[in-house]
Amino acid sequence: METLFNHILIPVDFTDKNRAAIEVAQQVARQCDARISLLHVIEFIDFPDDDEISSFYEKLQTRSERELTQLLQLFTDQGLDVTVETVINHRCKGIVMYAIDNDVDLIVMSSHPVDPGHRGAGLCLLYTSDAA
């Protein structure tokens, strides 16, 4: 049986606001028997590469691996198929490129509350289609 979603991406920044996105993604994954990817994007800083910058990124990478390992447990305890990855890029670009490169068909992410008076402010909606 074909399901609506096969691969769910959850971009995470290791804050408490990720909890809602994680819970929604877990529910959808169980219903659709979908696999999940947890992605942390380390923001790219446009400085010349040197030892100090390399050390900075290594520390962020180590922290990301530690945090992702902790989050991974939330999924494996439920028997869900999950992978984790960290990339260095600009946040939006990193998320979109990961989704394209890995055949993601649903991105579940946390957000700030939407102001009803300015519903479109601060939102970025992306749509891709294979249809010609």
Side-chain angles (χ1 to χ4, degrees):
M1 179 176 139
E2 190 171 323
T3 62
L4 186 58
F5 302 113
N6 296 303
H7 188 187
I8 302 169
L9 174 61
I10 311 169
V12 294
D13 63 2
F14 311 126
T15 61
D16 290 338
K17 68 181 181 175
N18 294 150
R19 178 59 82 184
I22 287 169
E23 290 172 0
V24 167
Q26 288 171 323
Q27 289 175 346
V28 174
R30 283 191 299 272
Q31 291 171 354
C32 296
D33 194 30
R35 63 190 171 105
I36 296 173
S37 291
L38 297 172
L39 175 69
H40 179 66
V41 180
I42 296 172
E43 184 68 28
F44 173 73
I45 301 172
D46 193 15
F47 285 118
D49 193 19
D50 62 16
D51 290 342
E52 187 175 351
I53 294 295
S54 295
S55 174
F56 173 74
Y57 280 126
E58 286 174 20
K59 288 176 185 174
L60 292 176
Q61 184 80 28
T62 299
R63 176 182 179 249
S64 178
E65 290 170 4
R66 184 180 65 247
E67 298 281 348
L68 286 170
T69 299
Q70 290 177 354
L71 286 177
L72 182 65
Q73 195 66 45
L74 296 173
F75 296 87
T76 55
D77 287 348
Q78 296 183 27
L80 296 169
D81 181 10
V82 61
T83 58
V84 297
E85 187 159 346
T86 301
V87 297
I88 298 172
N89 206 327
H90 298 290
R91 284 184 193 100
C92 288
K93 184 177 179 183
I95 292 167
V96 171
M97 294 306 301
Y98 184 90
I100 291 169
D101 292 344
N102 292 278
D103 297 321
V104 169
D105 43 29
L106 177 64
I107 301 173
V108 180
M109 55 194 303
S110 53
S111 180
H112 58 284
V114 176
D115 178 356
H118 299 92
R119 286 184 268 182
L123 296 178
C124 175
L125 303 176
L126 301 169
Y127 175 75
T128 61
S129 174
D130 292 333

